[in-house]
Amino acid sequence: MIRVLLADDDPLVRTGLTMMLRGADGIEVVAEAADGAQAAAAVRAHEPDVVLMDIRMPVMDGLAATRALTRHDARAPQVIVLTTFDEHRLVLEAMRSGAAGFLAKHAAPEDIVEAVRRAARGEPALSPSAARALIEHAAAGPGDRAEHARQRLALLTAREREVAEAVAEGLSNTDIGARLHLSLGTVKAHLTSALTKLRLDNRVQLALLTHDANPRP
């Protein structure tokens, strides 16, 4: 079972998400939270696999809560930011805060369910608009960001860099293994090593850094 925590200050939203997710096979809603601080406490108490996190909440907002939950903790849940504010700035801020995905609240129920499943597998879960934001970010002028990203990626071995570039293309671990002729365990080991060396929280942040180092013309 995929254990899910819902963090949203609107009880009606939480109720709707709970009803929707409980109708999906293999997903269990284990707790709810009305703000970011409650979410952090609920994660410690219930150890969910995935958190659906609103951005605009009192006490502690969703971005601050995401940073607190995911900062270099191998046991941290995967966080999907779920919001009505579909802005590119928030997409990038959420990804850099450690979120594994970004969805608008008006996403179709089946898309939200699939996003939960993808996040639980360690895969990015992005709405089409969020994916466009990342593409536009990658297409931005290089500036100092590209050079800084290249210096950081220089810490990786050649194989780790190949894995990072495949992650930036959106490939799953299975697809990366097939491309590079590596076992799934070896791919995971290279990915974990790369994240540790770069002090990143997840593969989405690794993809962002790799895009920064190789901006599109």
Side-chain angles (χ1 to χ4, degrees), residues 1-7 21 25-32 39-40 42-53 66 69-70 73-81 98-101 112-125 201-202:
M1 294 290 287
I2 300 172
R3 297 166 57 82
V4 177
L5 166 67
L6 305 177
L21 293 173
D25 293 336
I27 296 177
E28 176 186 11
V29 177
V30 297
E32 299 181 12
V43 165
R44 292 191 294 269
H46 298 279
E47 298 184 346
D49 303 303
V50 177
V51 177
L52 287 180
M53 182 81 76
T66 298
L69 290 176
T70 62
D73 186 346
R75 300 169 299 172
Q78 300 294 306
V79 177
I80 300 175
V81 171
I112 295 176
V113 170
E114 178 58 23
V116 168
R117 290 181 171 142
R118 286 180 62 87
R121 295 194 299 264
E123 300 174 5
D201 299 310
N202 57 46

Side-chain angles (χ1 to χ4, degrees), residues 104-174:
K105 286 183 180 177
H106 59 254
E110 58 270 22
D111 291 339
I112 295 176
V113 170
E114 178 58 23
V116 168
R117 290 181 171 142
R118 286 180 62 87
R121 295 194 299 264
E123 300 174 5
L126 300 175
S127 67
S129 60
R132 285 197 300 273
L134 296 184
I135 291 171
E136 290 175 9
H137 172 77
D144 294 336
R145 191 179 65 225
E147 181 58 30
H148 177 68
R150 293 188 190 106
Q151 291 176 1
R152 293 186 66 189
L153 289 174
L155 297 172
L156 305 183
T157 66
R159 185 61 89 183
E160 289 166 352
R161 181 66 180 267
E162 287 179 322
V163 170
E165 291 172 351
V167 167
E169 293 179 36
L171 271 63
S172 67
N173 288 350
T174 300

